[in-house]
Amino acid sequence: MKITVDQGRCVGAGQCARLAPDVFDQREEDGVVTLLDPAPPPERHAPARDAADVCPSGAITLTARP
Amino acid sequence: MTNTYYREHEPVMPSFDRPAGRPFDPSPELIALRGERPVARLAVPEGAPGVWLVTGYDLVRKVLADPRFSSRYETQYHPLVHTHMPPAPVGDLTGMDPPAHTRIRKLLTGKFTVRRMNQLTERATEITRDRLDEMEKAGPPADLVPVFAQPVPAQMICELLGVPYGERDAFTEAAHLASGGDDFEASAAAFARVSEYLRDLALAKRADPTDDLLSDLAGSDLTDDELGGVAAFLLGAGLETTANMLGLGTFALLRNPAQLAALREDPGLVNGAVEELLRYLSIANTGLRGVLEDVELGGAPLKAGDTVVISLDVANRDPAKFPGPDALDLRRSATGHLAFGHGVHQCLGQQLARVEMRVAFPALLARFPGLRLAVPPEEVPLRNPIPLYGVRSLPVTW
Ligand code: HEM
């Protein structure tokens, strides 16, 4: 799994940092998403998928790595 | 073909009333519509724009994420009052669209991050303990709303903003009025009173900053009016929301004793329990959006100038998303619920609300092992579901 985030779209709701804190964080000054782990190990896939699914602004993209 | 088409979009006039004796369930007529036509045209008087009711989970999410549906109140026709709404007062984020909305939200998101809110857990625990001490000393019985459900979040938001909790008589009543209802003029006037009070407080902090959100905002590029308005909106949101979740949530737990027992025995359930209570109760149940351009939604031909009514509570009971949706099941995954909305307006205070509830529910249950209703359940007085559902009071004993 490969993850990318679009900081320009992010609205800082914090859902990703709550659901997958090992993969996503929020910038101190404006709460915008930062990516801690762009290629997480399998045990973090489910929470990362939840985070991408509920992201209110569609700022998280997951791609399956070939 | 053509006939079916017209019949499908025949206007309907469903009752929004909750079923008698089932205070936690949405209107059965709205639930039925969700199955038949998740986008339904509502009957409106001659000359009114098209008004569409959206009840299906996927479609509600879609509308909330799509910039062609506007949050600006003046684009929305109010289907109960039968008029277009006046523009939002300055500072009300839920009545703005990007980029004006983005500018103000950006100033705030850094103050409400998951990390910052989690750091308030300890303070929430102290405030909760103090309220429970007082409740225990004075009772039983007690009305849970004024002694517990309201003061815990009120003290939290006051401290976060830097508003003196001791002066709450100056703003509580007005903040309550300002939080909406059908009387637009009365709520606008109340909002203006709270805004003025907070603007003056923030301006005083500009000269003499303290460590709080109002001082931070006073140092931002907000105009004085925006400063007061944003602060008033945050204060109102902080006072009115979690309080209703704590009151109605306790009522729901007391009416589902097996669930209550599970939470009491296993406090590790609390995070999931809070999400499930949010889903199941969906206290912010109905929203409006104005349609900015012609768009097809779930097969319905929406026109620019139409209004969409969104049922968050009915969407959160969609069996396609949440199997067995009408059961309160604290062990289910309620991830993806829409109780905090979706899209660019998704609740800014959601992590604060979560921290408050994760602390308050278990502390209440632990303190009073014999907690129960002090009146028959049908005598618990309920709030008008719009704008925000809850209990007016919750007589309990232990
Ligand atoms: C359990 C409690 C709460 C519920 C159910 C709730 C629900 C919601 C919902 C549904 C929205 C979206 C409105 C829309 O799309 O028009 C919203 C927005 C908002 N909420 Fe909450 N809320 C809660 C607690 C709080 C708290 C404690 C605060 C504290 C400050 C807060 C502040 C806000 C703000 C500022 C917005 C506007 C965000 C924007 O428009 O960008 N909320 N809330």
Side-chain angles (χ1 to χ4, degrees), chain B residues 32-284:
Chain B
L33 267 183
R34 186 194 55 215
E36 289 158 21
R37 30 183 157 169
V39 183
R41 186 191 272 284
L42 290 186
V44 287
E46 212 35 64
V51 179
W52 303 86
L53 176 72
V54 187
T55 46
Y57 177 89
D58 287 338
L59 289 168
V60 165
R61 249 186 83 134
K62 212 165 163 177
V63 169
L64 292 175
D66 187 332
R68 291 173 297 181
F69 297 94
S70 172
S71 283
R72 280 181 297 122
Y73 296 167
E74 63 272 30
T75 67
Q76 301 159 4
Y77 179 86
H78 198 299
L80 299 178
V81 187
H82 292 303
T83 164
H84 275 89
M85 304 218 288
V90 174
D92 177 351
L93 279 111
T94 56
M96 303 169 81
D97 285 340
H101 166 263
T102 319
R103 170 181 160 253
I104 295 185
R105 181 159 172 128
K106 276 261 172 216
L107 289 174
L108 301 171
T109 38
K111 318 292 182 199
F112 286 89
T113 59
V114 174
R115 183 176 300 111
R116 276 196 184 226
M117 294 303 105
N118 284 344
Q119 284 164 354
L120 299 178
T121 302
E122 209 176 309
R123 186 62 190 133
T125 307
E126 290 167 5
I127 289 172
T128 301
R129 192 193 50 220
D130 292 350
R131 296 277 73 81
L132 291 173
D133 286 349
E134 267 185 36
M135 182 173 155
E136 194 173 6
K137 240 183 273 155
D143 177 355
L144 196 77
V145 171
V147 303
F148 184 73
Q150 285 175 338
V152 171
Q155 199 169 341
M156 290 293 289
I157 191 68
C158 284
E159 292 185 7
L160 186 66
L161 284 171
V163 174
Y165 183 62
E167 284 177 25
R168 60 191 176 280
D169 288 349
F171 52 77
T172 309
E173 176 76 28
H176 178 70
L177 270 175
S179 78
D182 293 349
D183 190 341
F184 302 143
E185 266 177 44
S187 29
F191 191 88
R193 283 202 299 282
V194 185
S195 300
E196 246 171 75
Y197 167 80
L198 292 172
R199 185 197 58 205
D200 294 346
L201 192 63
L203 291 180
K205 287 175 190 276
R206 191 174 277 168
D208 193 3
T210 39
D211 182 18
D212 50 48
L213 187 49
L214 271 191
S215 300
D216 291 347
L217 290 178
S220 73
D221 71 348
L222 292 177
T223 66
D224 292 354
D225 281 350
E226 286 173 337
L227 187 55
V230 168
F233 188 74
L234 291 173
L235 181 64
L239 289 177
E240 294 284 323
T241 49
T242 313
N244 282 303
M245 272 305 296
L246 291 177
L248 191 65
T250 304
F251 185 24
L253 288 171
L254 291 172
R255 298 295 292 144
N256 288 270
Q259 298 294 315
L260 183 146
L263 180 57
R264 188 177 265 141
E265 275 154 35
D266 181 4
L269 283 181
V270 70
N271 288 7
V274 163
E275 299 310 309
E276 170 66 350
L277 285 165
L278 284 161
R279 178 196 74 84
Y280 182 70
L281 300 172
S282 296
I283 57 166

Side-chain angles (χ1 to χ4, degrees), chain B residues 334-384:
Chain B
T335 302
H337 69 69
L338 301 172
F340 289 123
H342 188 69
V344 301
H345 291 278
Q346 193 182 65
C347 185
L348 180 75
Q350 58 182 288
Q351 312 304 343
L352 173 62
R354 286 187 170 105
V355 166
E356 293 169 343
M357 288 186 277
R358 288 170 183 177
V359 167
F361 281 122
L364 174 70
L365 299 185
R367 180 68 68 101
F368 303 112
L371 190 73
R372 59 192 185 278
L373 290 177
V375 297
E378 57 281 5
E379 283 174 25
V380 172
L382 303 165
R383 285 174 60 130
N384 190 339

